[in-house]
């Protein structure tokens, strides 16, 4: 039996193969959870995360599916419940952006971003909450973004989905509260990723000037906040959006 605050908990992290999701997987597994690592296509990256968890004596498995596909999501969650007989934690982390000024943005881009960022959360939350309601226990955390709070030129569609996630989180928190399930959102600011690493020095320092704490966040900064919210002891926190942005937006 795993020791740790999340021992015996079963957690599914969507988009757990890369970036922030990877850090969430490592942290939840480090706390003793049995973690199901979802991804869509980056199988090699996902295998590396799995190997890292197993090397640290953690428990994890891979479960590729497209969060935007209802059939794939339903099959995947059925598989999880058949195997583990429960699901305690869902982290809706998978998300995409296709940036561009709205005037030039093709409608199919809008559809795809909505499909992954909003339809994905709809399918996964629905599938997980069916089981959580029967268990009378659950922790759901949705990844939104500072962009959903402040807006960002060139990211109108992404911002719309991320603001939508905040309303979805509050509504689900109200629907599921009577069954002992909490639903919260985490809103990262600028996180050190492949994307921010590629910025030129001028742009980097312009962004840094706007962040009171004077640095980009790390994936682990976000993962620690997710770990706090999924802890059994966080049972009196629901419907909240916790910003992890160095003070960029307050
Ligand atoms: P990332 O590095 O691009 O990783 C995205 C993850 O989502 C990958 O594991 C990817 O798997 C998965 N994914 C994408 N589409 C999917 C689909 N249809 N079905 C299943 N999995 C899918 O992203 P990130 O930067 O870590 O961002 C993670 C979350 O944090 C997102 O919701 C994002 O909006 C939010 N966020 C990020 C930042 C930031 O600075 N990075 C800031 C604020 C908010 P595949 O590779 O297999 O497609």
């Amino acid at each position: 039996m795993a020791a740790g605050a999340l021992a015996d908990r079963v957690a599914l992290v969507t988009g757990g193969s890369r970036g922030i999701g990877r850090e969430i997987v490592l942290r939840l597994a480090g706390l003793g959870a049995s973690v199901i690592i979802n991804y869509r296509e980056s199988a090699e990256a996902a295998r590396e995360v799995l190997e890292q968890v197993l090397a640290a004596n953690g428990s994890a498995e891979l479960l590729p599916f497209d969060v935007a596909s209802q059939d794939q999501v339903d099959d995947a969650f059925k598989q999880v419940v058949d195997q583990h007989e429960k699901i305690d934690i869902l982290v809706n982390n998978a998300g995409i952006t296709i940036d561009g000024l709205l005037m030039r943005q093709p409608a199919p881009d809008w559809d795809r971003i909505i499909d992954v960022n909003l339809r994905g959360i709809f399918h996964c939350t629905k599938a997980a909450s069916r089981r959580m309601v029967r268990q009378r226990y659950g922790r759901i955390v949705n990844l939104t973004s500072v962009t959903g709070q402040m807006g960002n030129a060139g990211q109108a569609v992404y911002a719309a989905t991320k603001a939508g996630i905040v309303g979805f989180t509050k509504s689900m928190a109200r629907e599921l509260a009577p069954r002992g399930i909490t639903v919260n959102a985490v809103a990262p600011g600028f996180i050190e990723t492949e994307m921010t690493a590629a910025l030129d020095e001028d742009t980097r320092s312009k962004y840094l000037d706007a962040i009171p704490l004077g640095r980009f966040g790390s994936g682990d900064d976000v993962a620690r906040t997710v770990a706090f919210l999924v802890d059994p002891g966080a049972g009196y926190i629901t419907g909240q959006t916790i910003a992890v942005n160095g003070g960029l937006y307050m």
Side-chain angles (χ1 to χ4, degrees):
M1 187 194 297
L6 300 179
D8 300 326
R9 298 292 177 186
V10 175
L12 190 150
V13 180
T14 67
S17 58
R18 296 187 286 116
I20 293 170
R22 173 181 187 280
E23 299 302 318
I24 295 171
V25 168
L26 295 176
R27 184 144 292 275
L28 300 192
L31 290 168
S34 186
V35 186
I36 295 131
I37 306 167
N38 158 258
Y39 63 97
R40 192 173 63 94
E41 58 187 12
S42 55
E44 200 181 322
R47 249 193 323 274
E48 280 171 25
V49 186
L50 174 68
E51 278 163 19
Q52 204 171 328
V53 172
L54 299 180
N57 292 321
S59 167
E61 67 206 70
L62 302 180
L63 191 55
F65 61 88
D66 182 344
V67 295
S69 156
Q70 176 157 14
D71 289 347
Q72 290 184 34
V73 170
D74 286 348
D75 286 352
F77 278 78
K78 184 176 179 309
Q79 207 175 308
V80 171
V81 172
D82 285 350
Q83 190 182 332
H84 295 274
E85 295 179 346
K86 62 176 190 162
I87 174 161
D88 300 301
I89 296 165
L90 169 66
V91 183
N92 283 310
N93 165 78
I96 60 163
T97 184
I98 307 169
D99 295 346
L101 296 177
L102 189 80
M103 277 185 294
R104 294 195 203 123
Q105 192 131 42
D109 286 3
W110 169 278
D111 291 339
R112 184 62 190 160
I113 301 169
I114 298 271
D115 278 353
V116 176
N117 296 7
L118 282 178
R119 192 181 283 273
I121 282 199
F122 166 72
H123 292 321
C124 293
T125 304
K126 197 169 169 183
S129 62
R130 277 195 201 111
R131 183 69 199 184
M132 289 175 175
V133 160
R134 288 177 57 196
Q135 296 166 189
R136 297 194 157 264
Y137 182 86
R139 295 274 182 272
I140 298 174
V141 176
N142 302 322
L143 269 289
T144 174
S145 168
V146 70
T147 299
Q149 299 171 308
M150 296 173 69
N152 196 17
Q155 289 196 313
V157 187
Y158 177 74
T161 62
K162 292 295 168 177
I165 286 170
V166 174
F168 179 82
T169 299
K170 292 178 185 179
S171 302
M172 290 315 302
R174 289 181 188 278
E175 274 187 37
L176 297 174
R179 304 300 181 102
I181 301 163
T182 66
V183 188
N184 290 290
V186 171
F190 287 118
I191 303 302
E192 197 82 62
T193 58
E194 287 162 28
M195 186 188 76
T196 41
L199 297 173
D200 64 64
E201 265 318 302
D202 273 3
T203 316
R204 262 183 94 84
S205 70
K206 201 179 84 202
Y207 284 158
L208 285 174
D209 284 348
I211 302 172
L213 285 175
R215 66 170 176 89
F216 292 119
S218 67
D220 191 53
D221 287 323
V222 180
R224 283 173 185 272
T225 308
V226 172
F228 166 72
L229 289 169
V230 303
D231 189 275
Y236 203 55
I237 303 172
T238 199
Q240 305 304 308
T241 297
I242 311 292
V244 184
N245 63 22
L248 172 65
Y249 178 80
M250 38 175 110

